[in-house]
Structure formats: structure tokens, C-alpha cells
Amino acid sequence: MRALTVIGNWKMNGSVRSNRNWMQTVIEEMQQGMPAGRRFGVCVPFPYLQECSHYLGSSQLQLGAQDVSAYASGPYTGEVSASMLQEMGVRFVIVGHSERRMQYGEANESIALKAEQALDHELTPIICVGETADERNSGRAVEVVRRQVASQVSTLQDRLVDCLIAYEPIWAIGTGKVASAQMAQDMHRAIRLQLAEFDDDVASHIGIVYGGSVRADNATELFAMPDIDGALVGGASLDAKEFLAICRA
Ligand code: PEP
């Protein structure tokens, strides 16, 4: 049985004061009780990791980061290593978000190295894949996502089972245009079938979450799909109450 996982991605948002309010609201409500068998996380900007780790303590909400270096240590100015994240109490880390692929030229190969670094330090990599609007409109969505997934399989092999894959159609990120639940399910199914070509066990156990304009009012329908194991939530995760509503969906 795969656990439903809901992870917020604050992106480059937050402030010391607003983080405190958000954390207090979410932690207090989670203490009242959340649906059983689910995992919850929030990926915050690097400078807030220590502060947020302090707030989260032993709460049900786990700490995440939004990127990690492909290298263990050394002359990589501006980078943050997986061992540093581990020391901060981080449990999840996003790798290969489309904003990083498109704006910082991240390629499948370095994304797989980042995922390896994360796994070596007991962090769960959330590997993002997804197609652009042009790729979908020209009928190439599955082909594009297959290529992204294949590259991760070839590096990570059966360690993939300890990762999460986030299917995030780029045209749905931050646009308010959510993929229909059936459209998302179809891609999640295609990814699972692709993984089954490699290893049945990986295919049936890996969590595949959906990302792209998820809100409280569309989460229930998405989560009801058999191959959708939760969500990576960007904009809506900035609002504590909306994030909690998605966690309960
Ligand atoms: C994201 O950034 O991963 C994301 C899914 O964003 P949004 O929910 O705002 O579309």
C-alpha cells in the first residue's frame, strides 16, 4: 500500500514572521489529528530550514528543501550539499523542478546525480518530470516524460523505489490550469508501466505525486485516482488553511 503524500513547495517565498504564523497554524491543526497513513512535508527556502526545523520538532509535518548539490562537498560556491540538509533535519528534497530545468538549464544527468546524493544521505528525492504545453499539444507528452524517467532509471536503478516522482505538467504550474484528474491519471499510469518494464517491484511501490495548480477544491478528485499518490503543491501551500485542506482531502 502506497502512502498518500502531500508536500508543499513554498518556492522563493516566505519571511521570518510569516513562516512562524504558517508553522503555528499547520502544526496546531495537525496535532488535532490528521487522516491516518499519510505523509506530509513542506519544502522551504534554504535560509529558513533551521528555523522551520525548530518549529516542526517531532510534528507530523516533515521538512523539505527545494534543491541539493550534485556533489558531496568542495569548490561549488552557492551550492548546498545533501549532508548539510541531513544535518538540518531535512527529509525530502525536490530535484529537477521545471523552474530549475528551464531557468537554470538543469539536465536529466545532473538531476539523477542530485537524487543519488539525496539517497546517500537518507533524504527522499522528489524527482520532477513533465511536458510543456507545446509538447502536449503536439502529442509528445508521453514521449517527453518517458525520456525524463528513463534517464533516472538508468542512473538510480532499483534505488528509485526510495524516491518520489512528481508529474508536473509545466503548463499547469502556477497557471491555475490543473490537468484533469483523468489526464493526470493517464500519465501516472504511463510512468508506472514504464517503470514496470524495468522492475515490477519498483513500479508498484514507488509514490507518484501530481503537481500543477492543486488546490483544496480539486485535490479530492485527483487523490481518488489509482495511480496518483498525492501532490506537490506550490502556490496553494503558501496559505496554511488551504494547505491543510489539501492534506485532509
Ligand atoms: C510547483 O511549483 O511544484 C507547483 C506545483 O506549483 P503550483 O501548485 O503553484 O502550480
Side-chain angles (χ1 to χ4, degrees):
M1 186 62 183
R2 300 184 299 266
L4 192 98
T5 305
V6 180
I7 298 184
N9 172 17
W10 283 359
K11 311 193 192 205
M12 198 173 73
N13 293 294
S15 68
V16 170
R17 182 201 256 177
S18 67
N19 299 348
R20 185 179 58 224
N21 294 338
W22 191 99
M23 288 284 161
Q24 279 170 353
T25 306
V26 172
I27 292 166
E28 271 173 34
E29 193 162 325
M30 284 197 169
Q31 277 165 350
Q32 312 299 312
M34 295 299 287
R38 295 188 175 195
R39 290 193 295 171
F40 308 110
V42 62
C43 298
V44 307
F46 291 135
Y48 299 139
L49 284 172
Q50 186 150 26
E51 173 205 6
C52 291
S53 170
H54 169 74
Y55 289 127
L56 292 177
S58 59
S59 97
Q60 235 185 307
L61 185 66
Q62 296 182 327
L63 189 60
Q66 299 174 13
D67 192 21
V68 64
S69 176
Y71 305 101
S73 64
Y76 302 104
T77 303
E79 291 286 279
V80 173
S81 72
S83 65
M84 294 171 186
L85 297 181
Q86 187 181 28
E87 278 188 325
M88 290 292 113
V90 168
R91 305 289 293 279
F92 295 97
V93 60
I94 298 171
V95 295
H97 192 283
S98 59
E99 288 156 8
R100 297 210 60 86
R101 288 181 189 258
M102 295 196 312
Q103 294 167 35
Y104 303 96
E106 287 200 2
N108 288 323
E109 295 69 24
S110 66
I111 292 163
L113 293 178
K114 289 179 176 201
E116 269 192 322
Q117 280 295 320
L119 289 167
D120 287 347
H121 294 87
E122 292 166 20
L123 310 175
T124 301
I126 305 164
I127 302 170
C128 300
V129 298
E131 80 285 357
T132 63
D134 278 355
E135 288 161 346
R136 174 155 290 270
N137 294 338
S138 59
R140 290 181 295 130
V142 172
E143 174 200 324
V144 167
V145 170
R146 270 188 78 89
R147 208 177 317 124
Q148 293 169 343
V149 171
S151 158
Q152 303 306 311
V153 174
S154 72
T155 304
L156 299 169
Q157 303 278 309
D158 53 9
R159 296 184 87 191
L160 254 185
V161 77
D162 295 320
C163 304
L164 286 170
I165 291 180
Y167 168 57
E168 300 206 304
I170 295 166
W171 47 269
I173 295 184
T175 58
K177 288 188 206 156
V178 65
S180 73
Q182 190 58 54
M183 192 190 275
Q185 160 62 22
D186 290 347
M187 186 62 87
H188 284 226
R189 187 80 200 136
I191 294 170
R192 216 177 285 289
L193 290 175
Q194 179 183 2
L195 294 175
E197 292 164 20
F198 162 70
D199 184 320
D200 278 333
D201 204 45
V202 170
S204 56
H205 288 101
I206 192 168
I208 308 177
V209 300
Y210 169 80
S213 298
V214 175
R215 299 179 309 268
D217 63 5
N218 56 32
T220 304
E221 200 189 350
L222 287 161
F223 295 169
M225 291 291 161
D227 289 293
I228 298 183
D229 303 316
L232 183 57
V233 185
S237 74
L238 295 173
D239 179 332
K241 291 282 179 196
E242 181 82 5
F243 180 67
L244 282 161
I246 297 168
C247 291
R248 290 189 183 285

